Amino acid sequence: MPVADLIGLQSRIASLRPVKTIGRVSSVDGTLIRVRGLSSAARIGDYARIMRHDGAVLGGEVLRIGPDDISILPDDEIDGVSLYDPVSMVGPLTVSPSDGWVGRVIDPFGKPLDGKPLASGAQVRPLRAAPPDPATRRALGERLSTAMTVFNTLLPIVKGQRVGLFAGSGVGKSSLMAHMAQHMQADVVVLALVGERGRELGHFVREVLGEEGMARSVVIAATSDRSALVRRRCLWTAMCVAEHFRDQGKHVLFLADSITRFAEAHREVAVAAGEVPALRGYPASTAHQIMALCERAGPGTDKMGDITALFSVLVAGSDMEEPVADILRGVLDGHVVLDRQIAERGRYPAIDLLRSVSRSLPQAATPDQNDVIGQARRLLGAYAQSETMVRAGLYRDGSDPVLDQAIRAFDDLDQFLALVEPGTIDDSFNRLRLILRKVAGPAPMQPKREAPRPQQQGGRRPAPARRTA
């Protein structure tokens, strides 16, 4: 047996307890199971096991504690639960990541989903861990190459940065995240898939990620048929796995798809616990849960590595003011907006550059690079302001020199935003400089057209109109 597997087995044996406190199911109230006899042994957030009469075991989380009983929200269907079924406490939610998890597909409980045996690590980690001490964390690190020109230049991503990817359904966010998993600089990639359809999970792993992406990735998945508890736990487990590799001094790329489904799962759990959905349908604790998760990513301390995170957000109808999107914009170090209209005209990734921001600038670029970024943004902004007039043919060349340059540069800049190339960051900037130099000069002279002469009939001038008395 490998040493790592033996250490994990020893850790599991050491966690076993010879004595357990047993309670009994006293009632079932909707989705909550009430249990007597565990009020003094249970804590909020602890995990419990319910042994049904048919031999099946049902897990759940403690949501309420009263003087006589506790309330447990099960993580599966409650069919088959009956009065006086025995219930035992497991304890706080934990997971034991291992280096052997790389290249594997795992559920939020640390169990394999790919049909192969999986060993646990030696260290037991709480799911809701605290972030590193903010006073000892490093600043954002160096710029990361992504093999995409738009991120290599106009929207840089640096080591330890946390970026939000805001998009509607079917706009290309999954493909963009898969590209990052394959090509972005990182030692390990941790990918959390929350609420994905079961069919799409296999397709994403085999076809989208492929062998190249899976060779350095750990996929934590909770499909859409799982309960809200399991779907919420998915991101916590994935973050624990990322922290496992970060503490080894490695650079981890954390990809979460999506924070919106995490918030929706938390809403179901919080409402069952008695919270009031006051924030446009979300309970007040949603903001804290999202911010606590995001703070665990980012730069580490001097003895740690870094977690560079990309969180996807589902925005219905491109509504950037909805609660989850609004919370994340104030927490993250940048946001990338994907626009459906851009996708419909065939440009991928469908990034709306003017609505996207990287807060790593201007520190992430040299003064010359910042000047190039500023020029490109000005031209795209000038074209966007007058696009309707230009396409309608109402604009006359020469009226605005900046807009003239923007019109000449738009097609090249639009192609540049969709370009995927294996070159370096300097190569991407050189390509952008060539585009800007090509349109920097005056517009080419157009041949003058003579004004049309009045049409004559029969080669004679029309006779003047007669005056009438």
Side-chain angles (χ1 to χ4, degrees):
M1 178 180 290
V3 176
D5 295 349
L6 182 60
I7 293 175
L9 180 60
Q10 291 175 343
S11 176
R12 293 182 64 182
I13 293 175
S15 64
L16 296 177
R17 295 293 180 265
V19 178
K20 292 183 179 180
T21 303
I22 301 296
R24 297 285 176 175
V25 174
S26 60
S27 66
V28 178
D29 184 9
T31 58
L32 292 178
I33 299 175
R34 300 188 184 276
V35 179
R36 289 183 178 271
L38 294 177
S39 296
S40 60
R43 294 172 295 180
I44 294 294
D46 278 358
Y47 195 72
R49 286 196 178 101
I50 304 167
M51 282 70 74
R52 301 189 317 198
H53 287 332
D54 58 2
V57 178
L58 179 64
E61 184 176 326
V62 177
L63 297 186
R64 300 177 186 174
I65 299 178
D68 300 321
D69 59 12
I70 64 174
S71 297
I72 297 175
L73 180 65
D75 56 19
D76 207 340
E77 297 294 336
I78 62 176
D79 296 345
V81 176
S82 60
L83 289 177
Y84 310 119
D85 282 346
V87 181
S88 63
M89 298 305 305
V90 178
L93 299 174
T94 60
V95 68
S96 301
S98 169
D99 294 351
W101 288 14
V102 176
R104 304 297 301 276
V105 183
I106 304 166
D107 74 358
F109 296 93
K111 298 178 181 179
L113 290 175
D114 50 12
K116 303 176 183 178
L118 183 71
S120 300
Q123 184 179 1
V124 178
R125 292 178 174 272
L127 289 190
R128 305 188 197 187
D133 186 357
T136 60
R137 300 182 82 162
R138 294 190 302 270
L140 295 176
E142 66 272 14
R143 195 169 189 158
L144 299 173
S145 177
T146 63
M148 298 186 73
T149 54
V150 61
F151 292 106
N152 284 354
T153 55
L154 302 170
L155 291 174
I157 300 177
V158 300
K159 186 178 292 186
Q161 187 174 357
R162 299 166 302 182
V163 181
L165 178 60
F166 299 81
S169 59
V171 185
K173 59 178 177 55
S174 296
S175 299
L176 179 57
M177 297 186 78
H179 173 90
M180 293 297 185
Q182 290 178 329
H183 301 286
M184 192 169 175
Q185 288 178 266
D187 298 319
V188 180
V189 178
V190 178
L191 177 60
L193 300 177
V194 184
E196 289 287 344
R197 291 180 287 272
R199 176 189 60 81
E200 290 188 346
L201 173 60
H203 171 75
F204 188 87
V205 171
R206 293 188 300 267
E207 306 296 334
V208 181
L209 274 180
E211 294 183 2
E212 182 180 358
M214 283 299 298
R216 60 171 187 166
S217 301
V218 182
V219 179
I220 314 295
T223 51
S224 58
D225 61 311
R226 302 303 300 270
S227 69
L229 279 176
V230 180
R231 285 183 276 120
R232 185 179 67 164
R233 181 172 178 160
C234 182
L235 279 188
W236 289 338
T237 301
M239 188 60 74
C240 285
V241 176
E243 291 169 340
H244 167 78
F245 293 104
R246 178 205 62 190
D247 293 347
Q248 299 178 8
K250 296 181 179 180
H251 173 222
V252 183
L253 174 61
F254 182 85
L255 303 174
D257 187 16
S258 69
I259 289 290
T260 304
R261 295 195 186 107
F262 169 80
E264 291 172 349
H266 173 72
R267 175 174 58 188
E268 294 183 40
V269 177
V271 170
E275 289 193 50
V276 178
L279 184 63
R280 290 178 64 179
Y282 289 94
S285 60
T286 302
H288 171 72
Q289 294 294 338
I290 292 175
M291 290 187 286
L293 178 72
C294 294
E295 279 299 321
R296 293 169 64 180
T301 61
D302 293 337
K303 297 181 180 180
M304 297 179 178
D306 303 294
I307 300 178
T308 303
L310 184 61
F311 301 96
S312 74
V313 186
L314 289 170
V315 286
S318 300
D319 182 12
M320 295 292 290
E321 304 301 325
E322 62 95 18
V324 177
D326 192 46
I327 292 168
L328 279 169
R329 279 189 301 156
V331 174
L332 301 179
D333 306 312
H335 52 272
V336 178
V337 179
L338 301 185
D339 187 82
R340 187 174 301 277
Q341 292 183 353
I342 297 177
E344 288 174 350
R345 61 180 174 85
R347 196 250 282 171
Y348 292 95
I351 297 175
D352 188 342
L353 182 69
L354 299 179
R355 298 171 62 194
S356 304
V357 174
S358 175
R359 294 181 179 173
S360 63
L361 291 174
Q363 290 80 9
T366 65
D368 177 66
Q369 291 174 345
N370 280 318
D371 183 60
V372 172
I373 294 172
Q375 292 181 42
R377 279 188 170 272
R378 281 193 294 272
L379 292 181
L380 288 173
Y383 185 87
Q385 290 180 353
S386 305
E387 182 177 7
T388 303
M389 183 173 61
V390 171
R391 293 188 178 277
L394 301 177
Y395 176 73
R396 182 177 181 182
D397 294 341
S399 302
D400 185 346
V402 176
L403 183 55
D404 290 341
Q405 294 183 19
I407 294 173
R408 298 198 302 270
F410 178 76
D411 290 338
D412 290 336
L413 288 176
D414 193 59
Q415 295 177 9
F416 178 82
L417 296 179
L419 191 61
V420 176
E421 61 177 5
T424 64
I425 293 174
D426 290 337
D427 294 336
S428 299
F429 268 106
N430 290 335
R431 185 183 294 272
L432 182 57
R433 289 189 185 96
L434 289 176
I435 296 175
L436 298 178
R437 289 171 185 167
K438 186 169 68 173
V439 300
M445 297 296 294
Q446 299 291 336
K448 294 183 178 180
R449 297 179 180 179
E450 296 182 358
R453 296 179 179 179
Q455 187 177 1
Q456 297 181 2
Q457 300 177 356
R460 298 180 180 178
R461 294 182 179 180
R466 297 182 179 179
R467 295 181 180 179
T468 57

